[in-house]
Amino acid sequence: MHHRPAPAHQHTAAARRPATLVAVGHGSRDPRARATLLRLLDRVRELRPGLDVRLAHIELNAPLLDETLAGLAAEGREAVLVPLLFAPGYHVTHDLPAAVAAVPGLRARVAAPLGAHPLLVEALADRLAEAGWTPGEDDRRTTGVVLAAAGSRDPRSGAETRRIAALLGERLGGVPVVPAYASAAAPTVPEAVAALAARGRHRIAVASCFTAPGLFAARAAAHAPWIAAAPLGAHPALARLVLHRHDRALAAPAVVHGRELAAV
């Protein structure tokens, strides 16, 4: 009996290697930042053994994103870019798609930023608890939280950060959570602290909506009147969120050379 050979595209699909998760950090001059992200990705690998997981940076740290994507294209691998950023902004909406489009023949997807998700809120709440957040019912009228984030001129970024703040407030039992920004947007952390104090909230904590230590995170923490949470780092919930964004992006069509880029 003669069997009809499989179409060539089936052979190509069968031979194609699994997609690589490229976690994209901003980059920092703080030497702790890269080490922190590497620990986060170790957790991702523990959760998904066998998944090829690589770290890349937009600037300041090696490996840079363009070099990583060029290497993946040379290997014939498909890429899923997961921004280690919390809201839409120039890096997510421009830099990442442009980096994909600059590599001929690269099959790639760009995932959504980490964003307003219960897993992110779990990590934020845990970091506050580790810093000493233990207000009881009697304290709820005097406590408040400033959610410190990087900031962006993109209005979608501010809207997403406000959603994160609202979810964190619900998680903390209705305590007011005011978003604040290290750059490019208002209010600043000191301005948000002052606004909470004007409402009679004098036990004010700063929650760190940053993945790793760096200048912005340190400046935000320095303005905390009470306690300051550590950056999210290698929190298990953040590792699960990275995989969630990766999996959602994989459900979208891949693109070649930047055409019909899928942002989920």
Side-chain angles (χ1 to χ4, degrees), residues 102-193:
V103 182
L106 176 68
R107 291 174 55 85
R109 299 167 171 89
V110 177
L114 299 174
H117 191 278
L119 287 169
L120 175 58
V121 174
E122 177 182 338
L124 287 166
D126 281 357
R127 289 290 186 246
L128 279 170
E130 291 165 4
W133 177 269
T134 56
E137 289 298 327
D138 294 340
D139 299 320
R140 294 194 187 280
R141 289 192 295 269
T142 61
T143 54
V145 175
V146 173
L147 178 68
S152 168
R153 292 182 178 85
D154 190 323
R156 293 170 295 177
S157 178
E160 188 71 9
T161 306
R162 288 191 293 274
R163 284 192 286 270
I164 296 169
L167 289 174
L168 181 59
E170 292 174 12
R171 173 76 179 237
L172 299 176
V175 169
V177 177
V178 178
Y181 306 96
S183 68
T188 64
V189 172
E191 288 168 347
V193 168

Coordinates of all heavy atoms in Angstrom, one line a residue, residues 102-193:
A102 N 12.3 44.2 13.3 CA 13.7 44.4 12.8 C 14.5 43.1 12.5 O 15.6 43.2 12.0 CB 14.5 45.2 13.8
V103 N 13.9 42.0 12.8 CA 14.6 40.7 12.6 C 13.9 39.9 11.5 O 12.8 39.3 11.8 CB 14.6 39.9 13.9 CG1 15.4 38.6 13.7 CG2 15.2 40.7 15.1
P104 N 14.5 39.9 10.3 CA 13.8 39.2 9.2 C 13.6 37.7 9.5 O 14.4 37.0 10.0 CB 14.8 39.4 8.1 CG 15.6 40.6 8.4 CD 15.7 40.5 9.9
G105 N 12.3 37.3 9.2 CA 12.0 35.9 9.3 C 11.7 35.4 10.7 O 11.4 34.2 10.9
L106 N 11.8 36.2 11.7 CA 11.5 35.8 13.1 C 10.0 35.6 13.3 O 9.2 36.5 13.0 CB 12.0 36.8 14.1 CG 11.7 36.6 15.5 CD1 12.5 35.3 16.0 CD2 12.0 37.8 16.4
R107 N 9.6 34.4 13.7 CA 8.3 34.2 14.1 C 8.1 34.6 15.6 O 8.9 34.0 16.4 CB 7.9 32.7 13.9 CG 7.8 32.3 12.5 CD 7.6 30.8 12.4 NE 6.4 30.4 13.1 CZ 5.1 30.4 12.6 NH1 4.9 30.9 11.4 NH2 4.1 30.0 13.4
A108 N 7.2 35.5 15.9 CA 7.2 36.0 17.3 C 5.8 36.4 17.6 O 5.0 36.8 16.8 CB 8.2 37.1 17.5
R109 N 5.5 36.4 18.9 CA 4.3 37.0 19.5 C 4.8 37.9 20.6 O 5.8 37.6 21.3 CB 3.4 35.9 20.1 CG 2.9 34.9 19.1 CD 2.3 33.7 19.9 NE 1.6 32.8 19.0 CZ 2.1 31.7 18.4 NH1 3.4 31.5 18.5 NH2 1.4 30.9 17.7
V110 N 4.0 39.0 20.9 CA 4.3 39.8 22.0 C 3.1 39.7 23.0 O 2.0 40.0 22.6 CB 4.5 41.3 21.6 CG1 4.7 42.2 22.8 CG2 5.7 41.4 20.6
A111 N 3.4 39.3 24.2 CA 2.3 39.1 25.2 C 2.0 40.5 25.8 O 2.7 41.5 25.6 CB 2.8 38.2 26.3
A112 N 0.9 40.5 26.5 CA 0.5 41.7 27.3 C 1.4 41.9 28.4 O 2.1 41.0 28.9 CB -0.9 41.5 27.8
P113 N 1.5 43.2 28.9 CA 2.3 43.4 30.1 C 1.6 42.7 31.3 O 0.5 42.2 31.2 CB 2.2 44.9 30.3 CG 1.0 45.4 29.5 CD 0.9 44.4 28.4
L114 N 2.3 42.6 32.4 CA 1.8 41.8 33.5 C 0.5 42.3 34.0 O -0.4 41.5 34.3 CB 2.9 41.8 34.7 CG 4.2 41.2 34.3 CD1 5.3 41.4 35.4 CD2 4.1 39.8 33.9
G115 N 0.3 43.6 34.2 CA -1.0 44.2 34.3 C -1.8 43.8 35.5 O -1.4 43.1 36.5
A116 N -3.1 44.3 35.5 CA -4.0 44.1 36.6 C -4.5 42.7 36.6 O -5.4 42.3 35.8 CB -5.2 45.1 36.5
H117 N -4.0 41.9 37.5 CA -4.3 40.4 37.5 C -4.3 40.0 39.0 O -3.4 40.5 39.7 CB -3.3 39.6 36.7 CG -3.7 38.2 36.4 ND1 -3.5 37.2 37.4 CD2 -4.4 37.6 35.4 CE1 -4.0 36.1 36.9 NE2 -4.5 36.3 35.7
P118 N -5.1 39.0 39.4 CA -5.1 38.6 40.8 C -3.7 38.1 41.2 O -3.3 38.2 42.4 CB -6.1 37.5 40.8 CG -7.1 37.8 39.7 CD -6.3 38.5 38.7
L119 N -2.9 37.5 40.3 CA -1.6 37.0 40.7 C -0.7 38.1 41.0 O 0.1 38.0 42.0 CB -1.0 36.1 39.6 CG -1.6 34.8 39.4 CD1 -1.1 34.1 38.1 CD2 -1.3 33.8 40.6
L120 N -0.8 39.2 40.3 CA 0.0 40.4 40.6 C -0.4 41.0 42.0 O 0.5 41.3 42.8 CB -0.1 41.5 39.5 CG 0.6 42.8 39.8 CD1 2.1 42.6 40.0 CD2 0.3 43.8 38.7
V121 N -1.7 41.0 42.2 CA -2.1 41.6 43.5 C -1.7 40.7 44.7 O -1.3 41.2 45.7 CB -3.7 41.7 43.4 CG1 -4.2 42.1 44.8 CG2 -4.1 42.7 42.4
E122 N -1.7 39.4 44.4 CA -1.2 38.4 45.5 C 0.2 38.8 45.8 O 0.6 38.8 47.0 CB -1.3 37.0 45.0 CG -0.8 35.9 45.9 CD -0.9 34.5 45.4 OE1 -1.7 34.3 44.5 OE2 -0.1 33.7 45.9
A123 N 1.1 39.0 44.8 CA 2.5 39.3 45.1 C 2.6 40.6 45.8 O 3.4 40.8 46.7 CB 3.2 39.3 43.8
L124 N 1.9 41.6 45.4 CA 2.0 42.9 46.0 C 1.6 42.9 47.5 O 2.2 43.4 48.4 CB 1.1 43.9 45.3 CG 1.5 44.4 43.9 CD1 0.4 45.1 43.2 CD2 2.7 45.4 44.1
A125 N 0.5 42.1 47.8 CA 0.0 42.0 49.1 C 1.0 41.3 50.0 O 1.2 41.6 51.2 CB -1.4 41.3 49.2
D126 N 1.6 40.2 49.4 CA 2.6 39.4 50.2 C 3.8 40.3 50.5 O 4.3 40.2 51.7 CB 3.0 38.2 49.4 CG 2.0 37.1 49.5 OD1 1.0 37.2 50.2 OD2 2.2 36.0 48.9
R127 N 4.3 41.1 49.6 CA 5.4 41.9 49.9 C 5.1 43.0 51.0 O 6.0 43.3 51.8 CB 5.9 42.6 48.6 CG 6.5 41.7 47.6 CD 7.9 41.2 48.1 NE 8.6 40.4 47.0 CZ 8.9 39.1 47.1 NH1 8.5 38.4 48.2 NH2 9.5 38.5 46.2
L128 N 3.9 43.5 51.0 CA 3.5 44.4 52.0 C 3.5 43.7 53.4 O 4.0 44.2 54.4 CB 2.1 45.0 51.7 CG 2.0 46.1 50.8 CD1 0.6 46.4 50.4 CD2 2.7 47.4 51.4
A129 N 2.9 42.5 53.4 CA 2.9 41.7 54.7 C 4.3 41.4 55.2 O 4.6 41.5 56.4 CB 2.2 40.4 54.4
E130 N 5.2 41.1 54.3 CA 6.6 40.8 54.6 C 7.3 42.1 55.2 O 8.1 42.0 56.1 CB 7.4 40.4 53.4 CG 7.1 39.0 52.9 CD 7.6 38.7 51.5 OE1 8.4 39.6 51.0 OE2 7.3 37.7 51.0
A131 N 6.8 43.3 54.8 CA 7.4 44.5 55.3 C 6.8 44.9 56.6 O 7.2 45.9 57.3 CB 7.2 45.6 54.3
G132 N 5.7 44.3 57.0 CA 5.1 44.6 58.3 C 3.6 45.0 58.3 O 3.1 45.6 59.3
W133 N 3.0 44.8 57.1 CA 1.6 45.3 57.0 C 0.7 44.3 57.8 O 0.4 43.2 57.4 CB 1.2 45.2 55.5 CG -0.3 45.6 55.3 CD1 -1.3 44.7 55.2 CD2 -0.8 46.9 55.1 NE1 -2.5 45.4 55.0 CE2 -2.2 46.7 54.9 CE3 -0.3 48.2 55.1 CZ2 -3.1 47.8 54.7 CZ3 -1.1 49.2 54.8 CH2 -2.5 49.1 54.7
T134 N 0.2 44.8 59.0 CA -0.7 44.0 59.8 C -1.8 44.8 60.4 O -2.1 44.7 61.6 CB 0.1 43.3 60.9 OG1 0.8 44.3 61.7 CG2 1.1 42.3 60.4
P135 N -2.5 45.7 59.7 CA -3.5 46.5 60.3 C -4.7 45.7 60.7 O -5.2 44.9 59.9 CB -3.8 47.6 59.2 CG -3.4 46.9 57.9 CD -2.3 46.0 58.2
G136 N -5.2 45.9 61.9 CA -6.5 45.3 62.3 C -7.6 46.2 61.9 O -7.5 47.3 61.3
E137 N -8.8 45.7 62.3 CA -10.0 46.5 62.0 C -10.0 47.9 62.5 O -10.5 48.8 61.8 CB -11.3 45.7 62.5 CG -11.6 44.4 61.8 CD -11.9 44.7 60.3 OE1 -12.5 45.7 60.0 OE2 -11.6 43.8 59.5
D138 N -9.5 48.1 63.7 CA -9.4 49.4 64.3 C -8.5 50.4 63.6 O -8.6 51.6 63.7 CB -9.0 49.3 65.8 CG -10.1 48.6 66.6 OD1 -11.2 48.5 66.1 OD2 -9.7 48.1 67.7
D139 N -7.5 49.8 62.8 CA -6.5 50.6 62.2 C -6.9 51.0 60.7 O -6.3 51.9 60.1 CB -5.2 49.8 62.1 CG -4.6 49.5 63.4 OD1 -4.7 50.3 64.3 OD2 -4.1 48.4 63.6
R140 N -8.0 50.4 60.2 CA -8.3 50.6 58.8 C -8.7 52.1 58.5 O -8.5 52.5 57.3 CB -9.4 49.7 58.4 CG -9.0 48.2 58.4 CD -10.0 47.4 57.7 NE -9.6 46.0 57.9 CZ -8.7 45.3 57.2 NH1 -7.9 46.0 56.3 NH2 -8.4 44.0 57.5
R141 N -9.1 52.8 59.5 CA -9.5 54.2 59.2 C -8.2 55.1 59.1 O -8.3 56.3 58.7 CB -10.4 54.8 60.3 CG -11.8 54.2 60.2 CD -12.8 54.9 61.1 NE -12.4 54.8 62.5 CZ -12.9 53.8 63.3 NH1 -13.7 52.9 62.8 NH2 -12.5 53.7 64.6
T142 N -7.1 54.6 59.6 CA -5.9 55.5 59.6 C -4.8 55.0 58.7 O -3.8 55.6 58.6 CB -5.3 55.5 61.1 OG1 -5.0 54.2 61.5 CG2 -6.3 56.2 62.0
T143 N -5.0 53.8 58.0 CA -4.0 53.3 57.1 C -4.3 53.6 55.7 O -5.4 53.8 55.3 CB -3.9 51.8 57.3 OG1 -5.1 51.2 57.1 CG2 -3.3 51.4 58.6
G144 N -3.3 53.6 54.9 CA -3.4 53.8 53.4 C -2.1 53.3 52.7 O -1.1 53.0 53.4
V145 N -2.2 53.1 51.4 CA -1.1 52.6 50.7 C -0.9 53.4 49.4 O -1.8 53.9 48.8 CB -1.4 51.1 50.2 CG1 -0.3 50.6 49.3 CG2 -1.6 50.2 51.4
V146 N 0.4 53.7 49.2 CA 0.8 54.3 47.9 C 1.3 53.2 47.0 O 2.3 52.5 47.4 CB 1.8 55.4 48.1 CG1 2.3 55.9 46.8 CG2 1.2 56.6 48.9
L147 N 0.8 53.0 45.8 CA 1.3 52.0 44.9 C 2.2 52.7 44.0 O 1.9 53.5 43.1 CB 0.1 51.4 44.1 CG 0.5 50.4 43.0 CD1 1.1 49.1 43.7 CD2 -0.6 50.1 42.1
A148 N 3.5 52.5 44.2 CA 4.6 53.2 43.4 C 4.9 52.4 42.1 O 5.2 51.2 42.2 CB 5.8 53.3 44.3
A149 N 4.8 53.1 41.0 CA 5.0 52.5 39.7 C 5.9 53.4 38.9 O 6.2 54.6 39.3 CB 3.7 52.3 39.0
A150 N 6.4 52.9 37.8 CA 7.4 53.7 37.0 C 6.8 54.9 36.4 O 7.4 56.0 36.4 CB 8.0 52.8 35.9
G151 N 5.6 54.8 35.8 CA 5.0 55.9 35.1 C 5.2 56.0 33.6 O 6.2 55.5 33.1
S152 N 4.3 56.6 32.9 CA 4.3 56.7 31.5 C 3.4 57.8 31.0 O 2.4 58.1 31.7 CB 3.9 55.4 30.8 OG 3.7 55.5 29.4
R153 N 3.7 58.4 29.9 CA 2.8 59.4 29.3 C 1.6 58.8 28.6 O 0.7 59.5 28.2 CB 3.6 60.3 28.3 CG 4.6 61.2 29.1 CD 5.4 62.1 28.1 NE 6.3 63.0 28.8 CZ 7.6 62.6 29.1 NH1 8.0 61.4 28.7 NH2 8.4 63.4 29.7
D154 N 1.7 57.5 28.3 CA 0.6 56.8 27.7 C -0.6 56.7 28.6 O -0.5 56.1 29.7 CB 1.0 55.4 27.2 CG 0.0 54.7 26.3 OD1 -1.2 54.9 26.6 OD2 0.5 54.0 25.4
P155 N -1.8 57.3 28.3 CA -2.9 57.3 29.2 C -3.4 55.8 29.6 O -3.9 55.6 30.6 CB -4.0 58.0 28.5 CG -3.6 58.1 27.1 CD -2.1 58.0 27.1
R156 N -3.1 54.9 28.7 CA -3.5 53.5 29.0 C -2.7 52.9 30.1 O -3.1 52.1 30.9 CB -3.3 52.6 27.7 CG -4.2 52.9 26.6 CD -3.8 52.2 25.3 NE -2.5 52.7 24.8 CZ -1.9 52.2 23.7 NH1 -2.4 51.2 23.1 NH2 -0.7 52.7 23.4
S157 N -1.4 53.4 30.3 CA -0.6 53.0 31.4 C -1.2 53.4 32.7 O -1.3 52.7 33.7 CB 0.8 53.5 31.2 OG 1.6 53.2 32.3
G158 N -1.6 54.7 32.8 CA -2.2 55.2 34.0 C -3.5 54.5 34.4 O -3.7 54.2 35.5
A159 N -4.3 54.2 33.3 CA -5.5 53.5 33.6 C -5.3 52.1 34.1 O -6.0 51.6 35.0 CB -6.3 53.4 32.3
E160 N -4.3 51.4 33.6 CA -4.0 50.1 34.1 C -3.4 50.1 35.5 O -3.8 49.3 36.3 CB -2.9 49.4 33.2 CG -2.7 47.9 33.4 CD -3.9 47.0 33.1 OE1 -4.8 47.5 32.4 OE2 -3.8 45.8 33.4
T161 N -2.6 51.1 35.8 CA -2.1 51.2 37.2 C -3.2 51.5 38.2 O -3.2 51.0 39.3 CB -1.0 52.3 37.2 OG1 0.0 52.0 36.2 CG2 -0.3 52.3 38.6
R162 N -4.2 52.3 37.8 CA -5.3 52.5 38.6 C -6.1 51.3 38.9 O -6.6 51.0 40.0 CB -6.2 53.6 38.0 CG -5.5 55.0 38.1 CD -6.5 56.1 37.8 NE -7.0 56.1 36.4 CZ -6.3 56.7 35.4 NH1 -5.2 57.4 35.6 NH2 -6.8 56.6 34.2
R163 N -6.2 50.4 37.8 CA -6.9 49.1 38.0 C -6.2 48.2 39.0 O -6.8 47.6 39.9 CB -7.1 48.4 36.7 CG -8.2 49.0 35.8 CD -8.5 48.1 34.7 NE -7.5 48.2 33.6 CZ -7.5 49.0 32.6 NH1 -8.5 49.9 32.5 NH2 -6.6 49.0 31.7
I164 N -4.8 48.2 38.9 CA -4.0 47.5 39.9 C -4.2 48.0 41.3 O -4.4 47.2 42.2 CB -2.5 47.5 39.5 CG1 -2.3 46.9 38.1 CG2 -1.7 46.8 40.6 CD1 -0.9 47.1 37.6
A165 N -4.2 49.3 41.4 CA -4.4 49.9 42.8 C -5.8 49.5 43.3 O -5.9 49.2 44.5 CB -4.3 51.4 42.7
A166 N -6.8 49.5 42.5 CA -8.2 49.2 42.9 C -8.3 47.7 43.4 O -8.9 47.4 44.4 CB -9.2 49.5 41.8
L167 N -7.6 46.9 42.6 CA -7.6 45.4 43.0 C -6.9 45.2 44.3 O -7.3 44.4 45.2 CB -7.0 44.6 41.9 CG -7.8 44.4 40.6 CD1 -7.0 43.7 39.6 CD2 -9.1 43.7 40.9
L168 N -5.7 45.9 44.5 CA -5.0 45.8 45.7 C -5.8 46.3 46.9 O -5.8 45.7 48.0 CB -3.7 46.6 45.6 CG -2.7 46.5 46.9 CD1 -2.4 45.0 47.2 CD2 -1.5 47.3 46.6
G169 N -6.5 47.4 46.7 CA -7.4 48.0 47.8 C -8.4 46.9 48.2 O -8.7 46.8 49.4
E170 N -9.0 46.3 47.3 CA -10.0 45.2 47.6 C -9.3 44.1 48.4 O -9.9 43.6 49.3 CB -10.6 44.7 46.3 CG -11.5 45.7 45.6 CD -12.0 45.1 44.2 OE1 -11.8 43.9 44.0 OE2 -12.5 45.9 43.4
R171 N -8.1 43.7 47.9 CA -7.4 42.6 48.6 C -7.1 43.0 50.0 O -7.1 42.1 50.9 CB -6.1 42.3 47.8 CG -5.2 41.3 48.5 CD -5.7 39.9 48.3 NE -4.7 39.0 48.9 CZ -4.2 38.0 48.3 NH1 -4.4 37.7 47.0 NH2 -3.3 37.1 48.9
L172 N -6.9 44.3 50.3 CA -6.5 44.7 51.6 C -7.7 45.1 52.5 O -7.6 45.7 53.5 CB -5.5 45.9 51.6 CG -4.2 45.6 50.8 CD1 -3.4 46.9 50.7 CD2 -3.4 44.5 51.6
G173 N -8.9 44.8 52.0 CA -10.1 45.0 52.8 C -10.7 46.4 52.7 O -11.3 46.8 53.7
G174 N -10.4 47.0 51.6 CA -11.0 48.4 51.4 C -10.1 49.5 51.8 O -10.6 50.7 51.8
V175 N -8.9 49.3 52.2 CA -7.9 50.3 52.5 C -7.7 51.1 51.2 O -7.5 50.6 50.1 CB -6.6 49.8 53.0 CG1 -5.5 50.8 53.1 CG2 -6.8 49.1 54.4
P176 N -7.6 52.5 51.3 CA -7.4 53.2 50.1 C -6.0 53.0 49.5 O -5.0 53.0 50.3 CB -7.6 54.7 50.5 CG -7.5 54.7 52.0 CD -7.9 53.3 52.4
V177 N -5.9 52.8 48.2 CA -4.6 52.6 47.6 C -4.5 53.6 46.5 O -5.3 53.6 45.5 CB -4.4 51.2 47.0 CG1 -3.1 51.0 46.3 CG2 -4.5 50.1 48.1
V178 N -3.5 54.5 46.6 CA -3.4 55.6 45.6 C -2.1 55.3 44.7 O -1.0 55.2 45.2 CB -3.1 57.0 46.3 CG1 -2.9 58.1 45.3 CG2 -4.4 57.3 47.2
P179 N -2.3 55.2 43.4 CA -1.2 55.0 42.5 C -0.3 56.3 42.5 O -0.8 57.4 42.5 CB -1.8 54.7 41.2 CG -3.2 55.3 41.2 CD -3.6 55.3 42.6
A180 N 1.0 56.1 42.4 CA 1.9 57.2 42.2 C 3.1 56.8 41.3 O 3.3 55.6 41.1 CB 2.5 57.6 43.6
Y181 N 3.8 57.7 40.8 CA 4.7 57.4 39.7 C 6.1 58.0 39.9 O 6.2 59.1 40.5 CB 4.1 57.9 38.4 CG 2.7 57.4 38.2 CD1 1.6 58.2 38.5 CD2 2.5 56.1 37.7 CE1 0.3 57.7 38.4 CE2 1.2 55.6 37.5 CZ 0.1 56.4 37.9 OH -1.1 55.9 37.7
A182 N 7.1 57.3 39.5 CA 8.5 57.8 39.6 C 8.9 58.8 38.5 O 9.8 59.5 38.7 CB 9.4 56.6 39.6
S183 N 8.1 58.7 37.4 CA 8.5 59.6 36.3 C 7.3 59.8 35.4 O 6.4 58.9 35.3 CB 9.7 59.1 35.5 OG 9.4 57.9 34.8
A184 N 7.3 60.8 34.6 CA 6.4 61.0 33.4 C 4.9 61.1 33.7 O 4.1 61.3 32.8 CB 6.6 59.8 32.4
A185 N 4.5 61.0 35.0 CA 3.1 61.1 35.3 C 2.9 61.6 36.8 O 3.9 61.5 37.6 CB 2.4 59.7 35.2
A186 N 1.7 62.0 37.1 CA 1.4 62.5 38.5 C 0.3 61.6 39.0 O -0.5 61.1 38.3 CB 1.0 63.9 38.4
P187 N 0.3 61.5 40.4 CA 1.1 62.2 41.4 C 2.4 61.5 41.6 O 2.6 60.3 41.3 CB 0.3 62.2 42.6 CG -0.5 60.9 42.5 CD -0.8 60.8 41.0
T188 N 3.4 62.2 42.2 CA 4.6 61.5 42.7 C 4.3 60.8 44.0 O 3.2 61.0 44.6 CB 5.7 62.6 42.9 OG1 5.3 63.4 44.0 CG2 6.0 63.4 41.7
V189 N 5.2 60.0 44.4 CA 5.0 59.3 45.7 C 4.8 60.3 46.9 O 3.9 60.2 47.6 CB 6.2 58.3 46.0 CG1 6.0 57.8 47.4 CG2 6.2 57.2 45.0
P190 N 5.6 61.4 47.0 CA 5.4 62.3 48.1 C 4.0 63.0 48.0 O 3.4 63.2 49.0 CB 6.5 63.3 47.9 CG 7.6 62.6 47.3 CD 6.9 61.6 46.3
E191 N 3.6 63.3 46.7 CA 2.3 63.9 46.6 C 1.1 63.0 47.0 O 0.2 63.4 47.6 CB 2.1 64.3 45.1 CG 2.9 65.5 44.7 CD 3.0 65.8 43.2 OE1 2.6 64.9 42.5 OE2 3.5 66.9 42.9
A192 N 1.3 61.7 46.7 CA 0.3 60.7 47.0 C 0.3 60.5 48.5 O -0.8 60.4 49.2 CB 0.5 59.4 46.3
V193 N 1.4 60.5 49.2 CA 1.5 60.4 50.6 C 0.8 61.6 51.3 O 0.0 61.4 52.2 CB 3.0 60.4 51.1 CG1 3.1 60.6 52.6 CG2 3.6 59.0 50.7

